[in-house]
Amino acid sequence: MKQSVKSYWHQILKKKIMVAVLAMAVLPGSAMAASPEVTVFAAASTTTVLTELGDLYAKKGLGTMKPSFASSSTLAKQIESGAPADIFLSANVEWMDFLVEKNAIDKASRRDLLGNRLVLIAPATGPLKSVDIKPGVDFLALLGTDGRLSTGDPAHVPAGTYGKTAMEALGIWDSVKDRIAPMKDVRAALMLVERGEAPLGVVYATDAAITDKVRIVGTFPESSHPPIVYPIAAVASGNTEAAKAFITFLTSPEASTIFARYGFHVIE
């Protein structure tokens, strides 16, 4: 008899616990509520560092990041067309300005986040060790008979645009413009050199730093191109509160340390 009474109250207690758990799961604002998700459209050159920062954001219980990495131009046009995004992180100011003109950006949230350098890379197993990038440097001789210079498409990819401007300033663009391998984004340009399918490439210093399959053989003079600036802003049609929270996280000392570890210059 005592055992049956004990079993009875055990069943009652079990049902109460189940009801309480279900109630917590459906109550808005409860401890069981899902963490906010922020959708980030970011330049391909930030893939590695932003993935790490997104993981850290989640581990801290601040929310989750859903990234989309591509050329800044591709992402900007997708946002203009109504693609669901909360944040845009561009590799140059021009594509951010493009969205500002379309009233697609929360202007008050915009800020310059990062800086970078433009470098010349070659396969790590190749013979080329160093190139003095100065006016009149002979890239054609370095490319050989049929080699291509891998870079982002100068028509719309920021890395390619910076590269074209730099080579024009150095007086070498006309000699190499027909030997360009124009890629969809800077990571694709990096991959072509990694695989040995191009003897040279123009990428950001941070891209070259993530792989041991290429080596930096030269750095373009900063005076040869506009400053490489990565602006960030909340997308007007997105979840601006979640966006602002993630941007605040990206500007924290902890995030700045991680950006610096990957070679980015953090803009204060």
Side-chain angles (χ1 to χ4, degrees), residues 88-122:
F88 178 47
L89 175 56
S90 175
N92 68 2
V93 297
E94 285 79 4
W95 286 108
M96 183 66 77
D97 290 342
F98 169 81
L99 288 181
V100 167
E101 292 172 2
K102 304 294 183 181
N103 295 315
I105 291 298
D106 177 1
K107 297 177 185 178
S109 68
R110 177 177 177 175
R111 61 162 292 163
D112 292 338
L113 183 66
L114 304 168
N116 215 331
R117 294 296 305 273
L118 195 68
V119 299
L120 184 70
I121 59 171

Side-chain angles (χ1 to χ4, degrees), residues 4-230:
S4 62
V5 170
K6 184 178 179 180
S7 177
Y8 169 78
W9 285 112
H10 178 76
Q11 293 298 323
I12 294 294
L13 180 60
K14 186 177 179 180
K15 288 180 180 179
K16 286 184 176 182
I17 291 173
M18 291 179 63
V19 170
V21 169
L22 289 171
M24 289 180 68
V26 299
L27 282 174
S30 74
M32 298 293 289
S35 298
E37 181 180 78
V38 59
T39 300
V40 181
F41 277 29
S45 52
T46 66
T47 299
T48 310
V49 66
L50 209 60
T51 298
E52 180 174 330
L53 286 167
D55 291 342
L56 179 60
Y57 195 66
K59 287 178 182 178
K60 286 179 171 291
L62 301 173
T64 57
M65 180 196 73
K66 180 181 178 182
S68 178
F69 299 109
S71 166
S72 300
S73 57
T74 298
L75 297 172
K77 290 174 182 177
Q78 288 175 352
I79 292 172
E80 179 199 13
S81 299
D86 302 313
I87 288 176
F88 178 47
L89 175 56
S90 175
N92 68 2
V93 297
E94 285 79 4
W95 286 108
M96 183 66 77
D97 290 342
F98 169 81
L99 288 181
V100 167
E101 292 172 2
K102 304 294 183 181
N103 295 315
I105 291 298
D106 177 1
K107 297 177 185 178
S109 68
R110 177 177 177 175
R111 61 162 292 163
D112 292 338
L113 183 66
L114 304 168
N116 215 331
R117 294 296 305 273
L118 195 68
V119 299
L120 184 70
I121 59 171
T125 56
L128 189 61
K129 304 296 183 183
S130 178
V131 176
D132 184 11
I133 302 180
K134 60 183 180 180
V137 61
D138 191 355
F139 273 18
L140 282 182
L142 298 173
L143 290 171
T145 304
D146 56 1
R148 295 277 175 173
L149 179 63
S150 179
T151 188
D153 190 336
H156 64 89
V157 177
T161 304
Y162 287 123
K164 177 184 177 182
T165 300
M167 286 183 277
E168 286 176 334
L170 295 169
I172 59 176
W173 173 251
D174 286 341
S175 67
V176 299
K177 64 183 180 182
D178 293 330
R179 300 283 293 278
I180 297 291
M183 308 303 288
K184 65 177 183 177
D185 59 47
V186 71
R187 286 298 173 92
L190 174 69
M191 189 178 297
L192 205 63
V193 181
E194 282 185 308
R195 295 196 303 238
E197 295 176 21
L200 291 175
V202 177
V203 300
Y204 299 121
T206 53
D207 295 301
I210 67 168
T211 174
D212 59 3
K213 295 180 181 179
V214 305
R215 68 164 60 99
I216 295 176
V217 295
T219 301
F220 285 85
E222 289 187 284
S223 60
S224 67
H225 58 80
I228 299 174
V229 176
Y230 289 65

